[in-house]
């Protein structure tokens, strides 16, 4: 928001699941999506800003599980039902890494992080993959913090970017936004915003 304000852009928030947001961005019906991991497929329809704050995508488990899972190999060898969010960059790779022949049906998909948390609450799944800070924040908002625990399995640790629609947003505006984001980083504003908004710790590891 602070970077957009510096380039005189007015934000009109639209609440969508991540998968739907990327579909709308590709179609040119929305202009920008934050928190995106760039890849060649998305580059067809999106222009990317500089990376922001690096966060981890972790495997989260039901807190009442007695089974201890510390590696992807252990997860793959288990009978646990795993939830994935549609549209995420890690989805296809992770499905290949944790699925073994005959066990494809153990994977469940949801359209949002809230959907994954609700599925975990109802014990429809035993684990899911998501961003550590988003999970900490939303699980607290939904009153589900005690139902989920973070494992030590890190799926990735990349810095997401802002993705701008190639249909609607000129490269010059993306360059101005990137310069504004860099200025926020250099003058300390970005660090203060990180401290203010990324204060919720991930659910405790057990």
């Amino acid at each position: 928001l602070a970077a957009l304000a510096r380039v005189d852009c007015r934000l009109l928030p639209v609440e969508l699941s991540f998968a739907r947001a990327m579909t709308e961005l590709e179609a040119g019906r929305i202009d920008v999506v934050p928190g995106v991991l760039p890849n060649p497929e998305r580059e067809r329809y999106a222009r990317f800003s500089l990376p922001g704050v690096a966060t981890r995508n972790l495997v989260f488990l039901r807190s009442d599980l007695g089974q201890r899972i510390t590696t992807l190999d252990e997860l793959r060898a288990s009978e646990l039902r795993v939830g994935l969010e549609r549209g995420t960059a890690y989805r296809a790779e992770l499905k290949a890494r944790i699925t073994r022949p005959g066990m494809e049906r153990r994977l469940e998909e949801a359209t949002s992080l809230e959907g994954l948390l609700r599925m975990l609450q109802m014990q429809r799944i035993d684990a899911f993959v998501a961003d550590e800070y988003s999970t900490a924040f939303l699980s607290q908002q939904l009153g589900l913090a005690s139902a989920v625990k973070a494992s030590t399995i890190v799926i990735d640790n990349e810095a997401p970017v802002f993705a701008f629609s190639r249909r609607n947003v000129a490269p010059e505006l993306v360059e101005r936004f990137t310069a504004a984001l860099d200025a926020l980083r250099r003058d300390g504003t970005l660090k203060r915003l990180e401290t203010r908004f990324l204060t919720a710790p991930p659910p405790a590891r057990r």
Side-chain angles (χ1 to χ4, degrees), residues 55-75:
T55 61
R56 300 178 302 174
N57 282 310
L58 304 178
V59 173
F60 291 88
L61 303 168
R62 274 185 24 226
S63 60
D64 61 342
L65 281 178
Q67 191 171 359
R68 182 172 173 80
I69 300 291
T70 59
T71 68
L72 268 180
D73 286 341
E74 290 175 353
L75 184 62

Side-chain angles (χ1 to χ4, degrees), residues 3-4 32-38 46-53 159-164 171 173-182 185:
L4 287 170
V32 59
V33 177
V36 174
L37 293 179
R47 308 183 196 277
F48 302 128
S49 71
L50 282 176
V53 183
V161 301
F162 285 77
F164 293 84
L173 180 58
V174 180
E175 291 173 6
R176 288 171 54 208
F177 175 85
T178 295
L181 195 62
D182 187 51
R185 183 178 288 113

Side-chain angles (χ1 to χ4, degrees), residues 37 57 84-85 88-95 129-130 155-156:
L37 293 179
N57 282 310
L84 303 176
E85 186 177 351
T88 53
Y90 55 76
R91 175 176 166 272
E93 178 186 356
L94 189 61
K95 287 180 72 171
V129 178
I155 302 303
D156 60 53

Side-chain angles (χ1 to χ4, degrees), residues 53-55 131 133-134 192-202:
V53 183
T55 61
D131 170 76
Y133 287 107
S134 298
R192 290 192 295 272
L193 291 171
E194 291 171 16
T195 302
R196 179 180 176 187
F197 291 106
L198 298 183
T199 52

Side-chain angles (χ1 to χ4, degrees), residues 81-84 105-110 116 119 124-125:
R81 297 158 298 170
V82 181
L84 303 176
R105 293 184 63 183
R106 67 186 290 221
L107 296 177
E108 297 279 353
E109 293 194 354
L116 291 174
M119 290 166 70
R124 287 178 50 193
I125 57 174

Side-chain angles (χ1 to χ4, degrees), residues 106-175:
R106 67 186 290 221
L107 296 177
E108 297 279 353
E109 293 194 354
T111 58
S112 66
L113 175 55
E114 180 175 351
L116 291 174
L117 284 163
R118 296 295 188 192
M119 290 166 70
L120 195 81
Q121 179 190 26
M122 294 183 290
Q123 299 190 6
R124 287 178 50 193
I125 57 174
D126 305 302
F128 65 85
V129 178
D131 170 76
E132 57 182 323
Y133 287 107
S134 298
T135 301
F137 177 79
L138 188 56
S139 63
Q140 290 175 1
Q141 291 287 92
L142 298 174
L144 298 176
S146 62
V148 60
K149 62 181 178 182
S151 76
T152 57
I153 305 172
V154 179
I155 302 303
D156 60 53
N157 185 23
E158 298 184 45
V161 301
F162 285 77
F164 293 84
S165 167
R166 283 187 177 272
R167 288 175 179 258
N168 303 332
V169 180
E172 293 78 16
L173 180 58
V174 180
E175 291 173 6

